[in-house]
Amino acid sequence: MNYFHFLLIAIFFILPVRGDSLSVYSPDNVVGVQFFLVEGVPYYSVQRFGRDVVQKSRLGFELQDIPDLKTGFTINDVTNTHHDVTWKQVWGEKKYIRNYYNELRIDLVERGELKREMTIVFRAYDDGIGFRYEIPEQPAIGEFNIMNELTEFALTGDHEAWWIGAYQWNRFEYLYENTPLSEVDTVHTHFTLRTENDLYLSFHEAAVVDYSTMALERTHDYTLQVNLFPWADGVKVRTAAPMVTPWRTIQMADDPGGLITSYLILNLNESNKIEDTTWIKPGKYVGIWWEMHIGKSTWEIGPNHGATTENAKRYIDFAAEHNFDHVLVEGWNKGWEGDWYADGVVFDFTTPYPDFDLAGVAQYALDNGVRIMGHHETSANILNYEEQMEDAFALYEELGVRAVKTGYVGHGTEIVWYDEDDNENHEWHHGQFMVEHHQRVVELAAKHRISLNVHEGVKDTGLRRTWPNLMTREVARGQEYNAWGGEGGNPPDHVVILPFTRNLSGPFDYTPGIVELHYDEYRPDNRINSTLAGELALYVIIHSPLQMAADLPENYEARPDVFQFIKDVPADWYDTKVLHASIGNYVTIIRKDHNSDDWYLGSITDENGRILEASLSFLDAGKEYVAEIYRDGKNADWINNPYDIVIEEKVVDSSMTMQLRLATSGGQAIRFRPL
Amino acid sequence: MNYFHFLLIAIFFILPVRGDSLSVYSPDNVVGVQFFLVEGVPYYSVQRFGRDVVQKSRLGFELQDIPDLKTGFTINDVTNTHHDVTWKQVWGEKKYIRNYYNELRIDLVERGELKREMTIVFRAYDDGIGFRYEIPEQPAIGEFNIMNELTEFALTGDHEAWWIGAYQWNRFEYLYENTPLSEVDTVHTHFTLRTENDLYLSFHEAAVVDYSTMALERTHDYTLQVNLFPWADGVKVRTAAPMVTPWRTIQMADDPGGLITSYLILNLNESNKIEDTTWIKPGKYVGIWWEMHIGKSTWEIGPNHGATTENAKRYIDFAAEHNFDHVLVEGWNKGWEGDWYADGVVFDFTTPYPDFDLAGVAQYALDNGVRIMGHHETSANILNYEEQMEDAFALYEELGVRAVKTGYVGHGTEIVWYDEDDNENHEWHHGQFMVEHHQRVVELAAKHRISLNVHEGVKDTGLRRTWPNLMTREVARGQEYNAWGGEGGNPPDHVVILPFTRNLSGPFDYTPGIVELHYDEYRPDNRINSTLAGELALYVIIHSPLQMAADLPENYEARPDVFQFIKDVPADWYDTKVLHASIGNYVTIIRKDHNSDDWYLGSITDENGRILEASLSFLDAGKEYVAEIYRDGKNADWINNPYDIVIEEKVVDSSMTMQLRLATSGGQAIRFRPL
C-alpha cells in the first residue's frame, strides 16, 4: 500500500491534518496523535479536543556498536485501521472490556545504505493513547543492543504531579510525592498528573516482555524521556529483530476517577494464552504473616516460630469455618535464620523446618476444604531460586497448592548473576534481567496450575491479560509498613493516592483488614492509621483477586460484627465504577460482585473528614436492596476514636442518594444485596 | 438563664470543649464553632471534622465618638438551641428547603461603667456557618455610627481563590481572578476558595438590611477582615439600637458542587413578608435589548430607534406566538440622548418618546396574552429616581406590567446626594445608602404588585426569601460583554466560574440564548465565545426566575430546531442537583421543572473539551423518558465550528448513564420528559 492509497482509506478517520503530518483520531474524536518527520527525524504529538497534551516529541533509539535508529528516515507505508472488539476477563475489576480504537501504523525505512526498517504504531483511544516501536525481521538487523530509547513526552505546563522516585534502594515501596512537574527528576510509572485545566494524565507502559521497564526522566522544562533500567554493563535492552517494544501509554480523563476505569493498558496486552483457566480462581486468604510483622512470632525457627504445624492447623480451622480459600504460610522452609535479606543466606524451597509438617498440613487443609498458599522468598537470589524453582512448583502442585506468594526482598541492585567469565553482575529489580526471570516464573507456574502473588517484583504492565495466573502483586508500600514502618507508617493520604497511581497498573496485595488497629503489646509505636470503617472500605477500594484478611484469627473472633463484611466481600468483580475521586483526598469506588447481584461500596478519605453524596443509581432500577452499612460513628476520629463504628441495615433502591459521612482518615463500606 | 444552666441543657450538643470556650456543633457533627473571650476580647474559630477552617479570629466594632465595642466583655448568658424546619420557596432553584442547625447565642456585657450589651449568634450547619451581632435595646446605646467592623477570618493556608476586586469603578462587572489567597487584596463576596485538602469554602453575607455590604480585606498572611463600604464621610454604618448586623457566612463542601446546593444564605434570611404572592410569577421574556447592544438600533430616539411602537408590537407578536411572558422594552422613555451614563442627564420615568405609544403597546401586549416588562434606567441618579418612582411604578401597574427591570449604570462613587447643608456626597453602589434605596424600591414595587430585575444593583444576600418580588438581578459581568466587551468579551471560563462564585448568591439575569453567535454586520470584532449547544446549556446552569431569550426574533425564526429548547426550558425549579463540578473548568447541573415531571440537564466547559459521565439516577425509577438532546457535534469547536450541533431524541431511564461529550467551550442541554 503506498502513501496515496492510505489517504483514500483514511479520509474517514482523519479530520484536520497539520502540515504534512499523519494523524489518527480516537473513535469519538477526543484524542488525536500527529506523526511527522522533520529532516528524517521522527516526532509525534498528542492532542485532546484539539489542544496539545504532548507537544512535538522525539522518537527513536541509540544502539550499541551499530548506527542509531533515530534519523534519516522516510515513510515507506502507512496503514490506518479501526478496531472494536469486546473481550472477557478471566477475573478482574470488570468482566467485559471494550477495545475500541483507531490505529496508525507508519512503516519507516532509512534513506541511506542500510535501508533498515522500523515501524511505529499509534493507537488512539477516547481515554488515551498507546504507541510502540516494531523492528521487523530484515537482513540488516540481527541481534542488537539498545543503549537509549529516545521517546520523549514534551508536556505543556508545570502540571501537579504524584510520583515516587526511580533508582531507589527500596524498589517501589515509597510514599508518593505531590509536587509540580518541575520538581520531578526520574520517576517510576504510573506517573500521574493534573493540568491546570483539570485534565488528568497518567503515564505507564503496557506489555513489557523481553525488554527493560521504563522510568521517566525529566530532561528539561516539562519534557520527560523514557529512561530504561540498564543492565549492569549499561546496555538497556539486549534484543534481536523481529521485536516489538512495550507500549508507551498515556491515559487521560477529565475526572481522576476516569483513570481508574480506563482499561487501556489491558487492551494493549495480548489475549490470554492459557487455554484451560478453570484452575485460576480468585479468592480470599488468611495466613501466618501479620503475627510476624508485629513481632508476635518469627519467620525463622525458634521458640516463637510462626509456621508450626499446630499454628497452621489453627489458621486452617479458622479459614474453613469462615470460608476462606487459602492459608498463607510464611517461614515454613529453611533459610530464614540470620540476616537473610542481606546476602549469603540461601533459601531451600523444598525443605520445611522440622516443626512444620508440610505434607500433613497441606492434606489437613484439603480435608477441610482449604488450600495452603505457598511461599517462595527468594531474598533476590535469582540464581538460587531458578535452580530450585522447577522442583519447588512441582512440590506445591503435588500438595494441592494453587497459589504461591513469591518474594524478592533485596535492595537496589542486589540481584546478582555471573556471566561466562564468572564476573559478578548486579542488576536492578526493574531491568530486563528480572523481566525475563518473572516471565519464566509465570510460565512455569502456569505449567503447574499455580497462580502467583508477587511481592517485591516488577510493576504490572497488564501481562495478567495474557497470563491470568499472574494474579496479584505488591510492588508498592503496603499494610506491613503500619506494623513496623516507623515515622507513622502509612499516613492517611497514602491509600487515597494509591488508586490514582500504583493501583492503575493492576491488582495490589495490600493486605487490608486489620481490625485491631493497635498492637501495643508488640509494636507500641505503630498502629493502623485509619478508623475501623476506613479499614473495611479498603476491600472495595483496592482490588486483588487474591485478597487477604490480614489480621490474627483471635482479633476477628473478637469482632464478629466487623468481620462479617470481610467474610462477605468478594475478590472478583463484574463491574467497577467511581463515584467520587480527588487524588490524595478521597475516593469512592463501587463494584459489582462477579458471582451474584450484590454491589459493594468503599469510600475513604485522608486526614480530613468528608461529606459525600452517593447516588445509588448503579443498583437495578425497581428492585429493593438491603444496604449493610459499616460507617464511621458520629464521634469517630482516626487519632482518638478510631473504633467508633455504626453497623446498620437499610432498605434502599436505585432512586436514592446516600450521604457518606467519613471521619478523619475514615471510611465507609457497604454491601448492597437484593432483598 | 445563667451559665451553669446552659451547660446542663447543652450537654447534648456539645462534645469536645476547648479550654473554657463555648462551642456549637452542626447537627451531624460536621462543623463546629468555638467562641472564647481572651481578657475580655471576643474571638471565635471554626472547625470541620475537628480541623481548623478559621483559626482564632477577632470579633467586635469600632464606633464613632463613643467607646468601641471590642473589649472588656464578660459572658452574661448563653443559650444553645436546635432547629429543624422545612420551608417552601415561592419560586426558586428548589421548592422545599430544610433549615437544620444548632444555634449558640452568647450575651455579652461590658464589665466597665457603661455595661453595654452585645449578643453574638452562631448557627452551625452541616454545610457551613453563619454568625451575626445583635445590639439589643438598652439605655446606654441609642443612635451610633460604626467606623469599623472587626470581624476576622483567619484562614489556615494559602488557599486557591476565585475573586473580583472590590472598590472598582465598574461595580461587580469583572472577570474573576484565580490566584493564591496571598495575592488577594480587598475582594467582593462571594469569595470562593479551595484548600490544599480539596475542601471548598465560600464567604458571603446574608440579609443585608439597614447596613453596608461588606468586602473582605486581606490584612495580613491568610487573614481576612470585614471591610464595609463606607459612606462619603467615612462612616461605615449609621444605625441605632436595637439592631442586628447581616449574617457573616461561610459555606463549606468537599465537592464544589456542594456549594451550589447549599441553601445556608436563604436559611439565614427572614421568611416571606408578602402575604399574597399569586402575582409573583417566574417566566421568560424577550425584548428590545440585544439589538441595541450589537448596534442594530439605539436606545435614544432617532432613525434607528429600537423602542418604537411598531418594533415593540413585532416582539409582542413573537412572544405571543412562542409563549413568552414578558417583552422588555428599553429606551422607551425620555432621557437617553447624549452621554446619559455620565452625569447631568435626567431620565423621565413616565414620559415615553413620541414614537412609542406606551399605553397602546401595553394594551396590545395584554390583548395577546403577554405583558410589557418595564424598564427604569436611573443612570445612578438616585435622587431623580426617588422623586419619580412612586408615579413610575403606579403607571406600570395601571398598564398591567408585572415586572420591571431597573438599571443603575454609573461608575464607582457616582451616586450623588445632598445633605442638609447642600453638600454633594458621592456614594458607592455597595454602601448603606444604596442598600436602603434598594429596600425602598422593593417594598414600593411590592405595593404595586411588581417584581424586580435589578441591574447594576447591590449583590444578592438572600432577601428574595423575605421579598420574593425581588426576583433576579445582574450584578456581574453578563452576556452583554460579548456584544461590545472587547478583548474577547467573556472568555470561555467565565461561565464555569460563575456557578461557584456570583451565582451562589442567587438568580442572575445573564441573558443567555444568543443563537446567532456572530454579528459581524454590526460588531465584527465580537462574538459569543461558546458553541451553540453550550449557549443552550446556560438556561439550566444559570437560574433566573425571569429568564431572557436574548437574541433577535429573526434569529430564532431562522433556527426553530435550536429555539425549541429555549421555548421548553422553564424558569422555575422544583429541585437542583450538581453532577459534575470543577471551578473554572466544567459544571453539570440538573434541575426538575417546578410545574411538571420534566428534568433538564445543562453541562458546560471552558476552552477544553471534556468527556463526563452523567448518571440518570435523578429520573424516577421504572419510568421511561424521552431525552431531547442538544449536543455538540463531533467536529464542534468554539473557534472554528461553533454551530456544529446534534439534536436528537433517545428513550432513557434512571438506570442509564449518558456520556456527555463537550466540545471546546461547548456544552450540552437535555430535556427529559416522561414518555
Side-chain angles (χ1 to χ4, degrees):
Chain A
M1 194 190 299
N2 64 30
Y3 189 26
F4 291 100
H5 191 182
F6 148 74
L7 280 176
L8 285 173
I9 301 182
I11 201 76
F12 304 109
F13 309 121
I14 290 183
L15 304 154
V17 172
R18 193 156 77 175
D20 53 355
S21 67
L22 302 171
S23 312
V24 60
Y25 295 89
S26 67
D28 203 17
N29 194 23
V30 174
V31 172
V33 180
Q34 316 285 326
F35 172 85
F36 38 104
L37 286 175
V38 180
E39 298 180 359
V41 178
Y43 294 90
Y44 78 106
S45 65
V46 182
Q47 293 74 36
R48 189 168 190 271
F49 286 102
R51 305 194 81 204
D52 274 351
V53 172
V54 178
Q55 296 170 326
K56 181 183 168 188
S57 294
R58 185 137 191 199
L59 297 163
F61 295 99
E62 290 172 345
L63 307 179
Q64 190 176 43
D65 299 335
I66 57 170
D68 299 333
L69 279 166
K70 65 179 182 187
T71 188
F73 288 109
T74 184
I75 292 171
N76 195 32
D77 199 358
V78 174
T79 322
N80 203 311
T81 51
H82 177 70
H83 301 260
D84 187 1
V85 175
T86 296
W87 57 280
K88 191 164 87 172
Q89 284 209 90
V90 174
W91 50 262
E93 55 282 68
K94 188 178 172 74
K95 180 84 173 177
Y96 293 98
I97 293 179
R98 185 179 186 185
N99 192 8
Y100 184 41
Y101 63 92
N102 290 326
E103 180 180 285
L104 173 66
R105 289 182 68 88
I106 299 152
D107 295 327
L108 301 174
V109 64
E110 286 178 306
R111 281 180 302 221
E113 232 174 75
L114 282 169
K115 299 226 175 306
R116 292 177 302 179
E117 294 170 12
M118 178 171 81
T119 296
I120 303 174
V121 185
F122 294 96
R123 291 188 181 168
Y125 291 81
D126 287 326
D127 62 349
I129 65 148
F131 64 93
R132 73 176 180 189
Y133 305 87
E134 300 181 4
I135 313 285
E137 195 162 8
Q138 53 193 299
I141 315 183
E143 291 187 0
F144 63 101
N145 292 340
I146 295 172
M147 298 308 289
N148 200 7
E149 181 181 323
L150 300 174
T151 310
E152 278 183 342
F153 305 93
L155 304 188
T156 59
D158 199 7
H159 307 331
E160 182 179 5
W162 289 264
W163 53 273
I164 52 174
Y167 296 105
Q168 298 193 86
W169 66 271
N170 205 6
R171 304 166 308 273
F172 289 88
E173 299 181 11
Y174 289 91
L175 296 175
Y176 278 80
E177 305 281 341
N178 177 206
T179 72
L181 173 57
S182 57
E183 293 175 22
V184 162
D185 180 9
T186 303
V187 294
H188 280 305
T189 66
H190 274 275
F191 177 53
T192 298
L193 304 110
R194 172 183 181 262
T195 76
E196 64 164 12
N197 297 314
D198 220 16
L199 173 66
Y200 293 82
L201 307 174
S202 200
F203 291 79
H204 195 56
E205 55 187 328
V208 178
V209 181
D210 293 335
Y211 208 82
S212 178
T213 71
M214 75 171 187
L216 291 173
E217 179 182 354
R218 194 173 61 84
T219 51
H220 59 279
D221 302 331
Y222 310 136
T223 295
L224 304 164
Q225 192 192 316
V226 166
N227 178 307
L228 299 170
F229 285 95
W231 288 78
D233 63 0
V235 169
K236 300 290 175 55
V237 179
R238 305 182 129 78
T239 186
M243 64 83 74
V244 299
T245 70
W247 295 92
R248 280 66 188 89
T249 62
I250 314 174
Q251 291 162 283
M252 308 177 200
D254 290 293
D255 180 277
L259 298 176
I260 295 174
T261 51
S262 163
Y263 301 99
L264 185 148
I265 288 167
L266 283 175
N267 275 329
L268 288 167
N269 273 268
E270 289 184 40
S271 320
N272 175 21
K273 289 189 175 172
I274 299 178
E275 208 162 316
D276 170 19
T277 58
T278 54
W279 52 272
I280 303 173
K281 287 189 178 147
K284 286 183 294 187
Y285 71 103
V286 293
I288 302 174
W289 179 78
W290 185 247
E291 60 179 74
M292 282 89 90
H293 279 284
I294 60 174
K296 183 188 172 198
S297 65
T298 62
W299 277 274
E300 74 272 18
I301 197 162
N304 295 318
H305 187 210
T308 64
T309 300
E310 184 192 355
N311 199 29
K313 287 184 174 174
R314 184 173 72 100
Y315 274 82
I316 290 165
D317 291 343
F318 179 79
E321 182 186 344
H322 298 291
N323 274 316
F324 285 83
D325 303 285
H326 309 269
V327 173
L328 170 68
V329 183
E330 292 203 3
W332 66 275
N333 61 328
K334 288 195 171 170
W336 291 92
E337 301 77 19
D339 201 12
W340 60 266
Y341 43 82
D343 52 7
V345 177
V346 170
F347 279 103
D348 180 328
F349 297 93
T350 50
T351 309
Y353 277 128
D355 60 351
F356 184 70
D357 173 12
L358 174 62
V361 167
Q363 189 57 49
Y364 184 78
L366 291 175
D367 292 345
N368 284 279
V370 179
R371 291 176 196 273
I372 292 297
M373 179 182 284
H375 186 237
H376 290 165
E377 175 51 59
T378 68
S379 68
N381 188 330
I382 303 306
L383 299 186
N384 175 56
Y385 184 45
E386 294 217 354
E387 274 170 19
Q388 300 181 55
M389 69 185 185
E390 173 65 49
D391 292 341
F393 279 102
L395 171 65
Y396 270 142
E397 183 185 17
E398 194 184 302
L399 295 173
V401 169
R402 289 287 168 81
V404 169
K405 174 178 172 180
T406 59
Y408 293 85
V409 173
H411 298 165
T413 55
E414 281 180 9
I415 288 159
V416 176
W417 64 283
Y418 301 89
D419 61 22
E420 294 146 5
D421 303 324
D422 230 30
N423 296 315
E424 187 176 298
N425 296 285
H426 288 254
E427 297 295 339
W428 287 98
H429 274 68
H430 326 83
Q432 188 180 9
F433 178 87
M434 286 303 285
V435 167
E436 290 177 351
H437 165 73
H438 287 293
Q439 190 62 34
R440 283 191 292 274
V441 175
V442 74
E443 295 188 26
L444 174 66
K447 202 178 90 182
H448 292 284
R449 301 159 67 90
I450 283 174
S451 294
L452 292 174
N453 170 4
V454 183
H455 283 232
E456 303 91 23
V458 293
K459 64 188 173 187
D460 195 337
T461 59
L463 291 173
R464 66 191 182 282
R465 178 178 177 190
T466 314
W467 298 95
N469 67 318
L470 184 48
M471 293 189 87
T472 190
R473 72 185 76 203
E474 183 189 40
V475 192
R477 187 167 154 134
Q479 182 84 284
E480 62 194 30
Y481 281 78
N482 286 328
W484 40 255
E487 290 175 22
N490 293 331
D493 69 355
H494 184 54
V495 288
V496 276
I497 295 175
L498 288 173
F500 307 98
T501 51
R502 157 64 180 83
N503 297 6
L504 297 179
S505 69
F508 179 9
D509 187 35
Y510 179 82
T511 66
I514 304 299
V515 299
E516 188 58 45
L517 306 172
H518 303 83
Y519 13 93
D520 294 350
E521 190 181 344
Y522 307 108
R523 299 271 192 187
D525 298 330
N526 287 274
R527 57 163 290 188
I528 304 297
N529 294 316
S530 73
T531 67
L532 191 49
E535 184 69 10
L536 294 182
L538 295 182
Y539 281 95
V540 188
I541 299 293
I542 303 175
H543 169 54
S544 182
L546 296 172
Q547 185 69 283
M548 191 173 200
D551 211 342
L552 313 180
E554 55 267 38
N555 291 339
Y556 290 130
E557 280 159 356
R559 287 303 301 253
D561 55 342
V562 169
F563 187 46
Q564 188 60 47
F565 183 82
I566 299 175
K567 289 169 64 173
D568 292 336
V569 70
D572 190 20
W573 305 104
Y574 185 84
D575 201 2
T576 290
K577 298 179 183 184
V578 180
L579 294 192
H580 312 109
S582 176
I583 304 179
N585 296 303
Y586 57 81
V587 61
T588 305
I589 296 179
I590 51 166
R591 303 193 199 259
K592 188 177 188 212
D593 182 12
H594 188 275
N595 301 306
S596 78
D597 286 333
D598 290 357
W599 281 89
Y600 287 79
L601 177 149
S603 185
I604 54 172
T605 179
D606 64 356
E607 69 277 14
N608 297 283
R610 309 281 176 184
I611 297 282
L612 304 172
E613 300 281 340
S615 157
L616 303 187
S617 59
F618 53 87
L619 300 173
D620 284 356
K623 204 153 130 182
E624 289 196 314
Y625 291 77
V626 176
E628 300 173 0
I629 300 167
Y630 301 74
R631 63 176 172 84
D632 290 321
K634 203 163 165 178
N635 300 315
D637 169 79
W638 76 282
I639 295 177
N640 302 309
N641 201 6
Y643 295 100
D644 182 13
I645 191 168
V646 175
I647 302 174
E648 62 186 359
E649 294 196 348
K650 278 189 184 164
V651 176
V652 300
D653 65 49
S654 69
S655 70
M656 295 169 70
T657 295
M658 287 180 75
Q659 198 179 59
L660 310 179
R661 185 189 176 286
L662 313 180
T664 55
S665 197
Q668 191 158 153
I670 309 178
R671 175 193 185 192
F672 298 91
R673 60 176 164 82
L675 187 61
Chain B
M1 194 190 299
N2 64 31
Y3 190 26
F4 291 99
H5 191 182
F6 149 74
L7 279 176
L8 285 173
I9 301 182
I11 200 76
F12 303 110
F13 308 123
I14 291 185
L15 305 155
V17 173
R18 192 157 76 176
D20 52 356
S21 67
L22 301 171
S23 310
V24 60
Y25 294 89
S26 67
D28 204 17
N29 194 23
V30 174
V31 172
V33 180
Q34 316 285 327
F35 173 84
F36 38 104
L37 285 175
V38 180
E39 298 179 356
V41 177
Y43 293 90
Y44 77 106
S45 66
V46 182
Q47 293 75 36
R48 189 168 189 272
F49 287 102
R51 305 194 82 205
D52 274 350
V53 172
V54 178
Q55 296 170 327
K56 181 184 167 187
S57 293
R58 185 136 190 201
L59 297 164
F61 295 99
E62 289 173 345
L63 307 179
Q64 191 177 43
D65 299 334
I66 57 170
D68 298 334
L69 279 166
K70 66 180 182 185
T71 187
F73 288 109
T74 185
I75 292 171
N76 195 32
D77 199 359
V78 174
T79 322
N80 204 311
T81 51
H82 177 69
H83 301 260
D84 188 1
V85 175
T86 296
W87 57 280
K88 193 164 87 172
Q89 284 208 89
V90 174
W91 50 262
E93 54 283 68
K94 188 179 172 73
K95 180 83 172 176
Y96 294 99
I97 293 180
R98 185 179 186 187
N99 192 9
Y100 184 42
Y101 63 93
N102 291 326
E103 180 180 285
L104 173 65
R105 289 182 68 86
I106 298 152
D107 295 327
L108 301 175
V109 63
E110 285 178 305
R111 279 178 305 219
E113 233 174 74
L114 282 170
K115 299 225 176 306
R116 291 178 301 179
E117 294 170 12
M118 179 170 80
T119 296
I120 303 173
V121 184
F122 293 96
R123 291 188 182 169
Y125 291 81
D126 287 327
D127 62 349
I129 65 148
F131 64 93
R132 74 175 180 190
Y133 304 87
E134 301 182 3
I135 313 283
E137 194 163 7
Q138 53 192 299
I141 316 182
E143 291 188 359
F144 65 101
N145 292 341
I146 295 171
M147 298 307 288
N148 200 8
E149 181 181 323
L150 299 174
T151 310
E152 278 183 342
F153 305 93
L155 305 188
T156 59
D158 199 7
H159 307 330
E160 182 178 5
W162 290 264
W163 53 274
I164 52 175
Y167 296 105
Q168 298 194 85
W169 66 270
N170 205 6
R171 305 166 306 273
F172 289 87
E173 299 182 11
Y174 290 91
L175 297 175
Y176 278 80
E177 306 282 341
N178 177 207
T179 72
L181 172 57
S182 57
E183 292 174 22
V184 162
D185 180 9
T186 303
V187 295
H188 279 305
T189 66
H190 272 274
F191 177 53
T192 298
L193 303 111
R194 173 182 181 262
T195 75
E196 64 163 13
N197 297 313
D198 221 14
L199 173 66
Y200 293 82
L201 307 175
S202 200
F203 291 80
H204 196 57
E205 55 187 327
V208 178
V209 181
D210 292 337
Y211 207 82
S212 178
T213 71
M214 76 171 188
L216 291 172
E217 179 182 355
R218 195 173 61 83
T219 52
H220 58 280
D221 302 330
Y222 310 136
T223 295
L224 304 165
Q225 191 191 317
V226 166
N227 179 307
L228 299 171
F229 284 94
W231 289 78
D233 63 0
V235 169
K236 300 291 175 55
V237 179
R238 305 182 129 77
T239 186
M243 65 82 74
V244 298
T245 69
W247 295 92
R248 279 66 188 90
T249 62
I250 313 173
Q251 290 162 283
M252 308 179 201
D254 290 293
D255 180 278
L259 298 177
I260 295 174
T261 51
S262 163
Y263 301 100
L264 185 147
I265 289 167
L266 282 175
N267 275 329
L268 288 167
N269 273 268
E270 289 183 40
S271 319
N272 174 21
K273 289 190 176 173
I274 299 178
E275 208 163 316
D276 171 18
T277 58
T278 54
W279 52 272
I280 303 172
K281 287 190 178 147
K284 287 183 294 187
Y285 72 102
V286 293
I288 301 174
W289 178 78
W290 184 247
E291 60 180 73
M292 282 90 91
H293 278 285
I294 61 174
K296 185 188 171 199
S297 65
T298 62
W299 276 274
E300 73 273 18
I301 197 162
N304 295 318
H305 187 210
T308 64
T309 300
E310 184 191 357
N311 200 28
K313 287 183 174 174
R314 184 173 73 100
Y315 274 83
I316 290 166
D317 291 343
F318 178 80
E321 182 185 345
H322 298 292
N323 274 316
F324 284 83
D325 302 285
H326 308 269
V327 174
L328 169 68
V329 183
E330 292 202 4
W332 65 277
N333 61 328
K334 288 197 170 169
W336 292 92
E337 300 79 18
D339 202 12
W340 60 267
Y341 44 81
D343 51 6
V345 176
V346 169
F347 279 102
D348 181 326
F349 297 94
T350 50
T351 309
Y353 277 127
D355 60 350
F356 184 70
D357 173 9
L358 174 62
V361 167
Q363 189 57 49
Y364 184 78
L366 291 175
D367 292 345
N368 284 278
V370 180
R371 291 176 196 272
I372 293 298
M373 179 182 285
H375 187 237
H376 291 166
E377 174 52 59
T378 68
S379 69
N381 188 332
I382 302 306
L383 299 186
N384 176 54
Y385 185 44
E386 294 216 355
E387 273 171 19
Q388 299 182 55
M389 69 185 185
E390 172 65 49
D391 293 341
F393 278 103
L395 171 63
Y396 270 143
E397 184 184 18
E398 194 184 302
L399 294 172
V401 169
R402 288 287 167 82
V404 168
K405 175 177 172 180
T406 58
Y408 293 84
V409 173
H411 298 165
T413 55
E414 280 181 8
I415 289 159
V416 175
W417 63 284
Y418 300 88
D419 60 24
E420 294 147 5
D421 304 325
D422 230 32
N423 296 315
E424 187 175 300
N425 297 284
H426 288 255
E427 298 295 337
W428 287 97
H429 274 67
H430 326 83
Q432 188 179 8
F433 178 86
M434 286 303 285
V435 167
E436 290 177 352
H437 165 74
H438 286 294
Q439 190 63 35
R440 282 190 293 274
V441 175
V442 74
E443 294 188 26
L444 174 66
K447 202 178 90 181
H448 291 285
R449 301 161 66 91
I450 284 174
S451 295
L452 291 175
N453 171 4
V454 183
H455 283 232
E456 303 90 24
V458 293
K459 65 188 173 188
D460 195 337
T461 60
L463 292 172
R464 66 191 181 281
R465 179 178 176 190
T466 314
W467 299 96
N469 67 319
L470 183 49
M471 292 190 87
T472 190
R473 72 186 77 202
E474 184 189 39
V475 192
R477 187 167 154 132
Q479 181 86 283
E480 61 195 30
Y481 281 79
N482 285 328
W484 41 254
E487 288 176 24
N490 294 332
D493 68 355
H494 185 54
V495 287
V496 275
I497 296 175
L498 288 173
F500 308 98
T501 51
R502 157 66 179 83
N503 297 6
L504 296 180
S505 68
F508 180 9
D509 186 35
Y510 180 81
T511 65
I514 303 300
V515 299
E516 188 59 45
L517 306 172
H518 304 82
Y519 13 93
D520 294 350
E521 189 182 344
Y522 307 107
R523 299 271 191 186
D525 297 330
N526 288 272
R527 56 162 291 188
I528 304 296
N529 294 316
S530 72
T531 67
L532 191 49
E535 184 69 10
L536 294 182
L538 295 183
Y539 280 95
V540 188
I541 299 294
I542 303 176
H543 168 53
S544 182
L546 297 172
Q547 185 70 281
M548 191 173 200
D551 211 341
L552 313 181
E554 55 267 40
N555 291 338
Y556 290 130
E557 280 159 355
R559 287 305 299 255
D561 55 343
V562 169
F563 187 46
Q564 188 61 46
F565 183 81
I566 300 175
K567 289 170 63 174
D568 292 337
V569 69
D572 189 20
W573 305 103
Y574 185 84
D575 201 4
T576 289
K577 297 178 183 185
V578 180
L579 294 192
H580 312 108
S582 177
I583 304 180
N585 296 303
Y586 56 81
V587 62
T588 305
I589 297 179
I590 51 166
R591 304 193 198 258
K592 188 178 188 210
D593 183 12
H594 186 276
N595 301 307
S596 77
D597 286 332
D598 290 358
W599 281 88
Y600 286 80
L601 177 149
S603 185
I604 54 173
T605 179
D606 65 356
E607 69 278 14
N608 297 283
R610 309 280 176 184
I611 297 282
L612 304 172
E613 300 281 340
S615 156
L616 303 187
S617 59
F618 52 88
L619 299 174
D620 284 355
K623 205 153 128 182
E624 288 196 316
Y625 291 76
V626 177
E628 299 173 1
I629 300 167
Y630 301 75
R631 64 175 173 84
D632 290 320
K634 203 163 165 178
N635 300 317
D637 170 80
W638 75 282
I639 295 177
N640 303 308
N641 201 5
Y643 295 99
D644 182 13
I645 190 168
V646 175
I647 301 174
E648 62 185 359
E649 294 195 349
K650 278 188 184 164
V651 176
V652 300
D653 64 49
S654 69
S655 70
M656 295 168 71
T657 295
M658 287 180 74
Q659 198 178 60
L660 310 180
R661 184 190 177 286
L662 313 180
T664 56
S665 198
Q668 191 160 152
I670 308 178
R671 174 193 186 192
F672 298 92
R673 59 175 165 83
L675 187 61

